[in-house]
Amino acid sequence: MRLVIEMMGGDHGVKATIPAVINFHKDYPDVELFAVGKIEVLQELEGVATLIDARDEVAVDATPLEVLRARESSLLKAINVVLDEKADAIVSAGGTGPFLSAATLKLKLVEGVERAAILAPFPTKIKGKQVAILDIGASNENTAKHLYQFALMGQFYAKAALNVENPRTYLLSNGTEDSKGIPVVVEANKLIREKNVPNFLGNIEAREVMSGDADVVVADGYTGNILLKSIEGTAKTLSGGIKKAFKRNLFSKIGYIFARKGFNEMTETFDYKNTGGAILIGVNNVVVKAHGNSDPRGFYSALVVAYKMAKADIVNEVRKGMQDVEA
Amino acid sequence: MRLVIEMMGGDHGVKATIPAVINFHKDYPDVELFAVGKIEVLQELEGVATLIDARDEVAVDATPLEVLRARESSLLKAINVVLDEKADAIVSAGGTGPFLSAATLKLKLVEGVERAAILAPFPTKIKGKQVAILDIGASNENTAKHLYQFALMGQFYAKAALNVENPRTYLLSNGTEDSKGIPVVVEANKLIREKNVPNFLGNIEAREVMSGDADVVVADGYTGNILLKSIEGTAKTLSGGIKKAFKRNLFSKIGYIFARKGFNEMTETFDYKNTGGAILIGVNNVVVKAHGNSDPRGFYSALVVAYKMAKADIVNEVRKGMQDVEA
C-alpha cells in the first residue's frame, strides 16, 4: 500500500504532521509513505518516507483555478505523486476547498458518480457506534440525484468501513414525514424510494442524527455543513461549561478527581480528533481531509482512516456499487 | 394586560398548563387571564382565569385548511378570544404548524412584513447573555427580502427584550465571507448591506452562533430549523453522556456530590425549558409557542415570555420599526 501525505497544510503544519507520520510508520511499517513539502523541514522523516520537495503552499481560500496553477504547491505535487506512483490514498490537513477541487479535478470522479461528497463518521449515544453523514460541505447546492447517489455511497462506506451489513439510511430534513423539507429533499426522498435503496427509512430530524438509530444520514452539502458545525459548536460550548463547572471551587475540584475517568471517556467519544478526518467519497482514490486544527494525534488518526479506507478498498466498492445500480 | 392561554395543547396538556397558570397568576396578579379548553377539566382555574369552553382539539399535523375549519377547537377559540377581547398575547404548547398558520391567518401580519418568523433566544457561552435566532422554522423557503426583514425584526426584538442597544447582527452561512452560502443567503447578505442595517457584521458559521459575539442571527426557516434541532440533539446527547459519567461507579457518584452545583447551573443555562418558548414575530399580537414537551415550569416560562413581550410592546416596536424603514 502506498500513502501520500501533504505535510504543510493545517494550523500546526509539520509540528502536527511529522510526529504523526513517525508514529504511523511505527505502527504500520508495511505502508510505503510519500511526504510532500519543503524538504528542509522534513529531514526527520528520512528513512520513514520518500521525501518530495514542494516550495509553495496553497492558500486555504484559493479558488480552483488558483489551485491548478500552483504547480509547485505541496498540494498539487502530492496529488501528482498519487497519479505518478499509483498511490492508494492521500491525506492533507490543508484548506477544504482547495484540497477538494484539486482532488476532484485531477483524480476524477468514479464513473457514474455525478458529484463527490465529504463524508464523516460521527459518534452516537451508543458506545462504539458511529453514523456516517454526507455531504457535509463539498457542494453548496445539490440535485435530488446527487442525494440519491450520496445514499448509495454512504451505504458502501458503512458496509466497508463501519462493518454494518444493511445500513439504516435516512435523509436529513425538518420533519420525518416524506412531504417535509425543501423541494430538493422532498424530491430526493421520492427518488430514493423509487430506486428501492435497501433499508432507506425516510427522513430524520437533526436532533435524532446522533441517537444511534441511523448508520447513514444523507444531506445536501449546505445543510450538512450547518449540521456539522452546529454539532461542533454545541459540543465545544458544553465542554467549556463542564470545565467551568469543575473549576468552580475546591469541592468541585475534588469532585473532578473522582469523576474524571468517566468524563474523559465521554470527552474521548465526542472528540472529533479521534474520528481522524472526513473522506471525499466518489473520487478515484482514498482522499482524507484531516481537521485543519489537527494535533499529532488527530493527524495520526487521519492517516489510520486513509489506511483503513484503502484496506477496505472503498474506491472499488463505490465503483462496483455504482455499476450494479446502473446495470 | 390581557393574556389568552390555549390549555389543551402540548404533550402533557392540562397537567402542565394548569399548575403553570396558577403559579403565573400568583406572581402576576394584575394580568387578566383567559383559559380556553374543555371547561370541565379547567375547574381548578375558577377565580384565576376567565374560562372559555372549547370541545375540540386540533391535530398537531393539521393543515391550515383543517385548522380554520376546526371552529370548536381550543386553538381557534383562543385566537378568537384574542380578537374579541383585544388581548395582548396568546400562548399555546400545541403543534407548531397549526398554531402558526392560525395565528398568521387570523391575527394577520404587521403592515409591511412579508413573512412572520419564529424567533427563539438561545444561551451563549457568556453567562446571562442570549442570542436571538430567527427564523427557526415558520417557513420552509425564504426570499432575500424575508431575510432582510428578519434582520430588522431580530434587532427590534433584541432591543426590546434583550436590552441590547445596538444588536450585533449576523447571517447564518457556511462561511464568513460575503460570497459564501446558498444563492438566497448571498443575495440577502448583499441586500442587508445595501439597506445599511446598523451593526450588520456579515455571515456567521453555525459553530460560532453560541459564542456570545452575536445578538441576532438570521437564517432561512429550513436551515434555522436544522440549526435549532442540531443544538438540541447535541446538548441532549452530551447531557446523557454527563449523567452516564457520574453514574459510572461509587467514586464518580461521590464526585457528583461535590460537583453537582456547578453542573446543575450549567444544565440550567442550556435547558430550553428556561427560555420558555419561541415567539412568532411579525404578526399583530404577541404569539408565544411553548415547547411541545413543556412541563409546568416550561409552560410557566412561556407565560412569562408572553408577559414580557407584551410589556416591552414588541408588536408596536416591530410596527414602528417597519414604518421607519419603509419611510
Side-chain angles (χ1 to χ4, degrees):
Chain A
M1 191 184 300
R2 299 179 148 197
L3 176 53
V4 178
I5 307 143
E6 188 281 297
M7 298 294 296
M8 311 302 287
D11 302 345
H12 307 297
V14 291
K15 276 187 193 148
T17 57
I18 288 178
V21 171
I22 290 171
N23 281 332
F24 181 82
H25 177 67
K26 268 184 212 143
D27 297 346
Y28 301 85
D30 295 342
V31 180
E32 196 180 342
L33 301 174
F34 297 83
V36 185
K38 285 209 172 75
I39 202 147
E40 64 272 24
V41 300
L42 300 180
Q43 293 309 314
E44 274 183 77
L45 295 182
E46 204 67 71
V48 168
T50 304
L51 305 186
I52 290 150
D53 191 36
R55 305 313 305 163
D56 289 348
E57 279 172 59
V58 155
V60 288
D61 57 352
T63 64
L65 201 64
E66 286 165 353
V67 172
L68 290 184
R69 278 181 183 157
R71 292 199 189 150
E72 291 305 310
S73 67
S74 51
L75 175 57
L76 227 60
K77 282 216 156 179
I79 286 186
N80 283 330
V81 174
V82 173
L83 292 168
D84 294 345
E85 302 286 342
K86 298 192 178 21
D88 302 280
I90 176 169
V91 180
S92 170
T96 307
F99 187 29
L100 297 187
S101 46
T104 313
L105 292 166
K106 302 281 282 185
L107 304 174
K108 310 283 187 209
L109 295 173
V110 167
E111 208 186 317
V113 172
E114 289 196 358
R115 190 68 68 90
I118 305 180
L119 180 155
F122 281 68
T124 71
K125 262 182 218 168
I126 298 168
K127 199 175 163 176
K129 175 161 187 178
Q130 295 188 314
V131 52
I133 309 184
L134 76 166
D135 175 27
I136 53 169
S139 294
N140 204 16
E141 290 187 285
N142 292 105
T143 64
K145 187 162 181 200
H146 294 163
L147 298 180
Y148 155 62
Q149 291 195 335
F150 294 171
L152 297 175
M153 292 197 288
Q155 294 199 339
F156 305 149
Y157 172 89
K159 285 179 199 174
L162 306 179
N163 298 314
V164 183
E165 211 171 299
N166 193 12
R168 295 172 66 83
T169 303
Y170 289 91
L171 182 62
L172 181 68
S173 190
N174 61 349
T176 53
E177 304 91 335
D178 286 354
S179 60
K180 284 291 175 78
I182 47 177
V184 67
V185 167
V186 176
E187 204 191 320
N189 181 303
K190 213 176 143 220
L191 181 62
I192 300 170
R193 289 201 185 281
E194 275 168 17
K195 297 279 192 181
N196 286 316
V197 172
N199 225 1
F200 174 62
L201 301 163
N203 292 348
I204 192 168
E205 291 198 85
R207 67 162 74 89
E208 296 301 325
V209 160
M210 300 198 294
S211 70
D213 179 34
D215 296 304
V216 174
V217 171
V218 171
D220 63 279
Y222 183 75
T223 313
N225 192 261
I226 300 286
L227 175 74
L228 162 80
K229 288 174 184 163
S230 321
I231 293 174
E232 281 184 0
T234 310
K236 207 176 144 192
T237 305
L238 283 171
S239 338
I242 293 176
K243 271 180 212 145
K244 225 182 263 173
F246 273 132
K247 283 185 189 154
R248 208 181 140 88
N249 55 38
L250 181 64
F251 296 110
S252 65
K253 280 175 194 157
I254 295 170
Y256 175 65
I257 295 165
F258 287 112
R260 73 180 149 196
K261 208 167 165 186
F263 278 97
N264 289 346
E265 207 173 279
M266 184 191 80
T267 319
E268 282 281 297
T269 308
F270 287 96
D271 188 345
Y272 289 85
K273 292 197 186 97
N274 288 318
T275 59
I279 72 162
L280 183 68
I281 197 162
V283 290
N284 280 311
N285 273 88
V286 172
V287 176
V288 175
K289 164 72 182 83
H291 242 288
N293 65 0
S294 291
D295 58 13
R297 188 168 63 94
F299 200 77
Y300 172 87
S301 312
L303 296 171
V304 173
V305 167
Y307 172 81
K308 284 189 181 160
M309 291 300 102
K311 197 90 185 165
D313 210 3
I314 183 80
V315 175
N316 232 342
E317 291 300 319
V318 171
R319 199 174 287 134
K320 275 192 312 187
M322 292 309 292
Q323 279 168 3
D324 289 350
V325 167
E326 296 298 317
Chain B
M1 190 183 298
R2 299 179 149 195
L3 176 53
V4 178
I5 307 141
E6 187 282 296
M7 299 293 294
M8 311 303 286
D11 301 346
H12 307 298
V14 292
K15 275 186 195 151
T17 58
I18 288 178
V21 171
I22 290 171
N23 282 333
F24 181 82
H25 177 67
K26 267 184 212 144
D27 297 344
Y28 301 85
D30 295 343
V31 181
E32 198 180 339
L33 300 174
F34 297 84
V36 185
K38 285 210 172 76
I39 201 147
E40 64 272 22
V41 300
L42 300 179
Q43 292 310 313
E44 273 182 78
L45 296 181
E46 202 68 70
V48 168
T50 304
L51 304 187
I52 290 150
D53 191 36
R55 305 313 304 163
D56 288 347
E57 280 171 59
V58 155
V60 288
D61 57 351
T63 63
L65 201 66
E66 287 166 351
V67 172
L68 290 184
R69 277 183 184 156
R71 294 201 187 148
E72 292 305 310
S73 67
S74 50
L75 174 58
L76 227 61
K77 283 215 154 180
I79 286 187
N80 283 330
V81 174
V82 174
L83 292 168
D84 295 344
E85 302 285 342
K86 297 192 178 19
D88 303 280
I90 176 168
V91 179
S92 170
T96 307
F99 187 29
L100 297 187
S101 46
T104 313
L105 292 166
K106 302 281 281 186
L107 304 174
K108 310 281 187 211
L109 295 173
V110 167
E111 208 185 316
V113 173
E114 288 196 358
R115 189 69 68 90
I118 304 180
L119 180 155
F122 280 68
T124 71
K125 261 181 219 171
I126 298 168
K127 201 175 163 177
K129 174 159 188 181
Q130 295 189 314
V131 53
I133 309 183
L134 76 166
D135 175 26
I136 53 168
S139 294
N140 204 15
E141 289 187 284
N142 292 106
T143 65
K145 187 162 181 200
H146 294 164
L147 297 181
Y148 156 62
Q149 291 195 334
F150 294 170
L152 297 175
M153 293 197 288
Q155 294 200 337
F156 306 148
Y157 172 90
K159 285 179 200 174
L162 306 179
N163 298 314
V164 182
E165 212 172 296
N166 192 13
R168 295 172 65 83
T169 304
Y170 289 91
L171 182 63
L172 181 68
S173 189
N174 60 349
T176 53
E177 304 91 337
D178 286 356
S179 60
K180 283 291 175 78
I182 47 176
V184 67
V185 167
V186 177
E187 205 190 321
N189 182 303
K190 213 175 142 221
L191 182 62
I192 299 170
R193 290 203 184 278
E194 275 169 17
K195 297 279 191 181
N196 285 318
V197 172
N199 226 0
F200 173 61
L201 301 162
N203 292 348
I204 192 169
E205 291 197 86
R207 67 162 74 90
E208 296 302 324
V209 161
M210 300 198 294
S211 71
D213 179 34
D215 297 304
V216 175
V217 171
V218 171
D220 63 278
Y222 182 75
T223 313
N225 192 261
I226 300 286
L227 175 74
L228 163 80
K229 288 175 184 162
S230 320
I231 293 173
E232 281 184 0
T234 310
K236 209 176 142 194
T237 305
L238 283 171
S239 335
I242 294 176
K243 271 179 211 145
K244 224 182 263 172
F246 273 133
K247 283 186 189 152
R248 208 180 138 88
N249 55 39
L250 182 63
F251 297 108
S252 64
K253 281 175 193 157
I254 295 169
Y256 175 66
I257 295 166
F258 288 111
R260 74 179 149 197
K261 209 169 164 186
F263 277 97
N264 290 345
E265 208 174 277
M266 184 191 80
T267 319
E268 282 282 298
T269 309
F270 287 96
D271 188 345
Y272 289 84
K273 292 199 185 96
N274 289 318
T275 60
I279 72 161
L280 184 67
I281 197 161
V283 291
N284 280 309
N285 274 88
V286 172
V287 176
V288 175
K289 164 71 181 85
H291 241 288
N293 66 359
S294 291
D295 58 13
R297 187 169 64 95
F299 199 77
Y300 171 87
S301 313
L303 296 171
V304 173
V305 168
Y307 172 82
K308 284 188 181 160
M309 291 299 102
K311 196 91 185 167
D313 211 3
I314 183 79
V315 175
N316 232 342
E317 292 299 320
V318 171
R319 199 175 286 134
K320 276 192 312 188
M322 292 309 293
Q323 278 168 3
D324 289 350
V325 167
E326 295 298 318

